[in-house]
Amino acid sequence: MPIEFKRELLKSICKFHRGLYAVLIITILISGFSGSVFSQRYMVYNLCLIAGAFIFDEVLMHFIERSTTFFFALRSFLYIFGIAISIGFVGDMPKFVMCIFLIWGISVISEDAFLSNVFDDYGIIPRRLALTIVLSIGAVLSFWEELSGAWAIGFFFFLAAMIVTSYIEYILISKSLKVYDDRYTEQVFKNEDLEKQNQELRDIQERVEQVNNEINLQKINLTKANKDLEALNREARSLIDVMKYFADSFDVEKNANVMVSNIMNIKDPDICTMYIDRDVYGNVEPHREILTSDASFTKVAADDTKEIFDYIKLRRIIDPFPLCENNNFMFPYFINIGICNAYAIPAVENGKVYGVLIVASMEEGFFESGLAFYESSVTDFTAALISDRLYLKTLDMAKKDGLTQIYNRYYFNEFYNDLIEEIHFTNKGSLTVAMFDIDFFKSINDTYGHLAGDEVIKTIARISAEYASKYGGSAVRYGGEEFAIVFSDKNIDEAHAILRDMHRDIKNSVINFNGTYIRINVSIGLASYPETNADIHDVLSSADQALYYSKEHGRGMIVIYGREEEALNEDFSY
């Protein structure tokens, strides 16, 4: 039987007892202090008896979990023994007080019958009989003098009825409690089975939840792995596409733009810039490729890139170099523009830093996926750069004269024909050609030797190349000691002024060959479309004709085709 039921039962009984104790105490006090019922000695005795019963009941309620048959038996015997003494040996006790004690005794006997079934299963019948006998003896002794005739028979009939009634009460209570206890026990077992099944179900549910959590975690990891794999495949495909472009392109600057654009497209940083130092692929000035997500970043990137490159090159840093990691700025670059992550990836060839790729982002943890993609991009660009440079060098060798390193006649025929076709079909622009050769070159060879002649040719080529480069033209060794300069954006007078300066420098040049000083001069013929020639295809031959006019009329002159007599009156003494 559940302990909660026992507690509630005893609480109810104790409440009833407290009321009964209060009635007994008031009755005894009135009887004792009046002096007409019984002595104060017996009043104190009965008060102590009632107080003891009250305390015992209270203690028994608080220690119900540890109460045993011994405690219930002790309680019953003490109560009934005290009641019997009060009834049997207080001869002058009023009958109403006696009746109260009898009622109390009967209630104790009834409670004992009930509580014995509730709290223990042993010693019920012997204690029941003992309590009834003790109480009966006390009652008989109290009424002994008055028991005669019909009163005696009625009294003994009353005692028998009380005993029979108590026994029937016991039987009914016992059977009812047994039925209740059996049902309760059955429900307890069912409940235990249900709890066990529920616990098993909870265990199964926990295992299922654990498995589901593991499956969900695996799904998350698998999804992340798939995303990472897709990102890697996308990066790999983009690198392959870029490498294919590199293979078909020999334009280094265009390749740099494609690489930076690919990084912006795949990784989406806020700044991506590639810096290439001068003289890496024949470039006179450093080259920068800058792409940004915000136009305001462009100037900052342009200002900081050169300083970052100089720092890396000076310290020969060849590994990826952190500039800023999650707002931890190692260097004063990209500050106060919202950038929180930035890396510099050096571009290295044969152990030397020739450039740097810089990637920066406003996103936290931007480089958590690593730097392999950026390093691969720079490595592929470097490989393409080496290939492009070799190709350009080979192509340059094919285009240029081996002795003078200016364009040769073979390449001149190629680009000159393309140039005149473009101007002819677009009907835009002008074309001016100067043809010139070295005066008395055969005499120089005969007098000083062919090596001296080679020095003279190289000097003429160097000066003509300087003027062509300075004014946007192209210098060509047309053959032997003959040269040409082509201007596609100069009219005849502009070209004539440039050629006079060049002619003066050549004429004033002195070549020191093995201690011998050689002076040189050239004759120049000049023609232009559309000023001297209506047909662009005739410009080259017209310039050649003007050259021969100069050679036939004293040499050392600049002759404009169609305006030959002007040269005869011009002073070329300088």
Side-chain angles (χ1 to χ4, degrees), residues 307-378:
E307 294 184 18
I308 295 171
F309 170 76
D310 290 341
Y311 182 90
I312 291 175
K313 183 178 181 181
L314 180 64
R315 288 158 180 79
R316 299 179 182 178
I317 299 172
I318 61 174
D319 296 320
F321 188 65
L323 303 172
C324 173
E325 290 183 321
N326 293 328
N327 287 309
N328 181 20
F329 286 87
M330 292 74 163
F331 299 91
Y333 305 124
F334 307 120
I335 294 178
N336 299 325
I337 62 172
I339 296 298
C340 64
N341 279 288
Y343 256 88
I345 294 86
V348 183
E349 180 187 358
N350 296 326
K352 295 181 179 180
V353 178
Y354 72 85
V356 63
L357 172 69
I358 300 172
V359 182
S361 174
M362 301 172 69
E363 179 183 338
E364 290 282 346
F366 182 78
F367 294 102
E368 286 181 355
S369 60
L371 302 169
F373 177 74
Y374 310 106
E375 293 181 90
S376 297
S377 297
V378 173

Side-chain angles (χ1 to χ4, degrees), residues 401 406-410 435-438 441 457 476-484:
D401 174 64
I406 63 174
Y407 291 130
N408 56 29
R409 183 169 181 174
Y410 175 81
M435 297 289 292
F436 56 98
D437 70 357
I438 305 173
F441 181 71
I457 290 175
V476 180
R477 185 183 181 190
Y478 200 72
E481 73 273 20
E482 192 170 10
F483 298 84

Side-chain angles (χ1 to χ4, degrees), residues 143-157:
F143 292 93
W144 184 259
E145 294 178 357
E146 301 177 9
L147 294 177
S148 61
W151 282 108
I153 294 172
F155 183 75
F156 282 108
F157 179 78

Side-chain angles (χ1 to χ4, degrees), residues 36-173:
S36 60
V37 181
F38 51 80
S39 66
Q40 291 187 359
R41 179 167 61 100
Y42 285 105
M43 179 188 71
V44 173
Y45 163 75
N46 283 287
L47 288 175
C48 291
L49 176 66
I50 295 169
F54 175 75
I55 293 172
F56 201 87
D57 275 346
E58 295 295 325
V59 172
L60 189 67
M61 183 187 73
H62 290 290
F63 291 93
I64 184 64
E65 294 90 345
R66 287 177 280 181
S67 300
T68 62
T69 302
F70 172 75
F71 286 105
F72 290 110
L74 179 62
R75 171 182 180 272
S76 302
F77 278 119
L78 285 175
Y79 290 174
I80 302 305
F81 186 70
I83 294 169
I85 291 174
S86 298
I87 296 173
F89 299 98
V90 183
D92 58 348
M93 179 181 290
K95 295 298 184 286
F96 75 91
V97 176
M98 192 183 309
C99 290
I100 291 175
F101 275 103
L102 283 173
I103 294 170
W104 186 20
I106 292 170
S107 70
V108 170
I109 292 172
S110 300
E111 289 176 14
D112 182 72
F114 180 70
L115 294 175
S116 296
N117 279 279
V118 174
F119 294 102
D120 69 272
D121 296 323
Y122 306 100
I124 299 173
I125 295 175
R127 187 168 70 249
R128 177 89 170 128
L129 292 173
L131 295 176
T132 304
I133 291 170
V134 171
L135 187 59
S136 299
I137 292 172
V140 169
L141 292 175
S142 298
F143 292 93
W144 184 259
E145 294 178 357
E146 301 177 9
L147 294 177
S148 61
W151 282 108
I153 294 172
F155 183 75
F156 282 108
F157 179 78
F158 169 74
L159 290 177
M162 184 181 70
I163 293 172
V164 171
T165 302
S166 298
Y167 183 73
I168 292 172
E169 178 190 8
Y170 161 72
I171 293 298
L172 293 175
I173 293 174

Side-chain angles (χ1 to χ4, degrees), residues 491-523:
N491 59 35
I492 193 70
D493 293 329
E494 291 172 334
H496 183 261
I498 294 170
L499 291 174
R500 276 188 63 87
D501 292 339
M502 184 189 76
H503 185 239
R504 181 188 63 246
D505 286 349
I506 293 174
K507 188 174 181 181
N508 292 332
S509 297
V510 178
I511 300 171
N512 183 355
F513 180 75
N514 295 331
T516 301
Y517 297 95
I518 304 173
R519 288 189 170 276
I520 54 177
N521 200 353
V522 294
S523 297

